[in-house]
Amino acid sequence: MLALILGALLLLVTACGGGGGSGAGDGDSNDGKGAGKVENAASVAVVTIAPKDEAKAVATTGALKVSADKGKLTTVTVQDDKGNPVEGKLTADGTSWEPLRHLAGATKYKVHAIAKDAEGRESAKDTTFTTLVPKNTFIGHYTPEDGSTVGVGMPVSINFTRGITEPEAVEKAITVTAEPSVPIEGHWFGNDRLDFRPEKYWAAGTKVTVKLNLDGVEGRPGVYGEQAKSVTFTIGRSQVSTVDASAKTMKVVRDGKQIRNIPITAGAPSTTTYNGQMVISEKYAVTRMNGATVGFGGEYDIKDVPHAMRLSTSGTFVHGNYWASSGTFGSANVSHGCVGLRDIRGGGNNGTPSAWFYNSSLIGDVVIVKNSKDKQIAPDNGLNGWNMSWSEWIK
C-alpha cells in the first residue's frame, strides 16, 4: 500500500516538473521573441504636460498644454481643487490639447492625460500645478442687479475698476445669453466700460444670464481679474414712452398700446433737452437737484424733487415738478433740460401724473425724446447705447 502511494506521488511530481522542463523553455522562447512580447510590451506613446508637475506661480493663460508623441491623446481631464472641470480643445490629429479659456488665479489644478500608440497600447500621465497669486486685481461693477426685473431697454453694463488694455481677453471671459435666444453683442466705451445688448429692445419676459468669468484674466499687464459670478435678470412688460418736446406731451405705450398721454415741460430754449433714446437707470422717490453739480452754477438747488428717474449721467431726469404752475405742463418748456411732470411737494402716491408715471415705470424702461432743439444724446451718457446703429455697435 505504501509503495502505491509513493508511486502516485512520484507521478504527480514528474508531471508538474515536466511542465517546467523543455515545454516551459519553448514557452519562454515565444514570450521573448513571439506574439506574447508584442501584446505585453509598453506603449511607445509619450504624454507631455506643461507646466511641470508641482510647478508654482504658473501663468493663467498660455502655460497649460498637453501633447502626445508617437501616439494620439484619447483622454485629457483638468480640474481645479474644487472639482470644476476646465474645458479644452483637442487638435484634429489628436496630438495636442489646450484649454479653451484662461485659468483662475491662486488655484491648484490636476491634469490627467492618456494617449494610445499605433498598436492601441495606452500611456498615462498625471500632474498638478498651482497658478500665480495676483498682486494687482480688478473687478467689474455690473448693472442690472441679480434677480431684478427690468424694462426692455436695459443693457448689461459693466464698469471695470482698472482701465483695460486687453479688451478681447476680458470680453471673451464674459458671456451674456437670453431665453428665448437672441444675438447679443458687446461694445466698449473707452477702456473701462463694456455694455452688451441685442439689436433691438429685449422682448418682454426674456430671461437674461450674465457670467463673469474674470478670475485670472490679465486685463492689463500684471493686473488680473478676481471675479467669478453669475447674474440673472428678467425683462418685464414692454413700456416705451415718447416725449415730444415741441408738442409738450409724453405718450406712454405699454405692450404696444398707448395707455396715457401726459402733459410735460421740457428744456427751456437756452437749456434744451437732449433728443434720443434714453433708459431709466435710477429711481428716487425724493432727491436733491443742485445746478452746481451739472454745470449750472447756483441757478437752482431743490432739496426735495419728487419722483425722479435718471436718464443720463450728465443729469437728465424725468421727474415731478411742484414749483411750476399747473398751466405750465403741456404749454411751455421751462426746465434746465429735464422732462417735468406735474406733481405736489412731498411726492408719495399722490395721484398726480408724475406719481402715476413713477409707479408705472421700471429701471430699464425707455424714454424717447424727439423734436427738441438739441443734439442727440451720446450713447455713453447713461445707458443709452440704443442711439448707435447695430453696425456701429458691433464694429
Side-chain angles (χ1 to χ4, degrees):
M1 183 67 177
L2 179 60
L4 287 173
I5 293 172
L6 290 172
L9 287 172
L10 183 60
L11 276 172
L12 181 61
V13 170
T14 303
C16 292
S22 62
D26 292 341
D28 288 342
S29 175
N30 288 337
D31 285 345
K33 298 180 181 180
K37 181 178 180 181
V38 174
E39 291 175 359
N40 296 321
S43 173
V44 297
V46 178
V47 178
T48 301
I49 300 174
K52 294 181 179 180
D53 191 29
E54 297 297 332
K56 309 294 183 184
V58 173
T60 55
T61 56
L64 175 57
K65 296 180 181 180
V66 182
S67 60
D69 184 36
K70 298 180 181 179
K72 294 184 179 182
L73 293 166
T74 57
T75 300
V76 178
T77 58
V78 182
Q79 293 182 328
D80 66 15
D81 45 17
K82 294 180 181 179
N84 299 312
V86 175
E87 291 183 276
K89 183 178 181 180
L90 188 66
T91 55
D93 61 5
T95 62
S96 181
W97 179 99
E98 291 187 9
L100 289 175
R101 296 178 179 83
H102 66 282
L103 304 177
T107 302
K108 187 174 184 178
Y109 288 92
K110 179 170 60 177
V111 185
H112 173 65
I114 299 174
K116 283 185 179 181
D117 64 14
E119 301 295 332
R121 296 167 300 194
E122 293 184 336
S123 177
K125 190 167 186 178
D126 294 270
T127 65
T128 62
F129 65 91
T130 305
T131 53
L132 56 82
V133 178
K135 294 181 179 179
N136 299 294
T137 60
F138 72 90
I139 63 171
H141 295 296
Y142 56 85
T143 191
E145 295 181 2
D146 186 27
S148 60
T149 297
V150 297
V152 297
M154 190 71 194
V156 174
S157 186
I158 304 166
N159 288 272
F160 299 101
T161 54
R162 298 289 296 270
I164 301 301
T165 59
E166 299 294 336
E168 290 184 8
V170 171
E171 186 171 346
K172 183 180 178 182
I174 301 171
T175 59
V176 183
T177 56
E179 181 61 42
S181 181
V182 63
I184 303 166
E185 296 289 344
H187 183 88
W188 286 87
F189 293 110
N191 66 355
D192 59 1
R193 175 179 166 186
L194 173 61
D195 285 13
F196 291 86
R197 70 167 176 90
E199 182 175 2
K200 300 177 181 179
Y201 300 146
W202 304 100
T206 298
K207 307 289 185 182
V208 183
T209 299
V210 183
K211 291 184 178 180
L212 301 168
N213 185 25
L214 294 171
D215 189 359
V217 174
E218 191 171 15
R220 58 184 300 129
V223 182
Y224 295 83
E226 58 173 354
Q227 195 174 23
K229 190 173 182 64
S230 182
V231 177
T232 61
F233 61 93
T234 303
I235 306 302
R237 80 290 174 274
S238 171
Q239 181 168 297
V240 178
S241 304
T242 302
V243 173
D244 187 326
S246 177
K248 305 170 188 65
T249 60
M250 179 172 69
K251 294 181 179 180
V252 183
V253 175
R254 174 85 57 82
D255 295 326
K257 296 180 180 180
Q258 183 176 327
I259 60 173
R260 194 145 180 180
N261 189 23
I262 303 174
I264 61 95
T265 181
S270 60
T271 53
T272 49
T273 305
Y274 287 124
N275 287 293
Q277 303 170 73
M278 304 181 215
V279 173
I280 296 173
S281 59
E282 295 175 309
K283 292 180 66 179
Y284 301 97
V286 178
T287 192
R288 179 182 179 180
M289 291 188 177
N290 187 342
T293 64
V294 289
F296 287 112
E299 290 188 33
Y300 62 89
D301 185 2
I302 306 171
K303 296 179 175 61
D304 58 351
V305 178
H307 300 127
M309 291 172 279
R310 182 182 290 278
L311 300 178
S312 78
T313 307
S314 62
T316 309
F317 282 77
V318 53
H319 63 76
N321 180 326
Y322 65 79
W323 50 91
S325 66
S326 59
T328 301
F329 305 96
S331 63
N333 288 329
V334 299
S335 84
H336 284 80
C338 292
V339 176
L341 284 67
R342 182 173 63 81
D343 210 330
I344 60 175
R345 194 165 197 163
N349 191 10
N350 57 39
T352 63
S354 179
W356 177 87
F357 186 66
Y358 182 89
N359 293 328
S360 300
S361 297
L362 295 172
I363 287 177
D365 281 349
V366 179
V367 177
I368 301 172
V369 177
K370 66 179 184 179
N371 296 328
S372 175
K373 294 181 179 180
D374 204 331
K375 61 185 178 183
Q376 179 172 283
I377 192 167
D380 61 344
N381 186 1
L383 303 177
N384 299 323
W386 302 104
N387 294 287
M388 297 179 70
S389 68
W390 187 240
S391 59
E392 291 176 306
W393 185 265
I394 63 177
K395 187 181 297 181

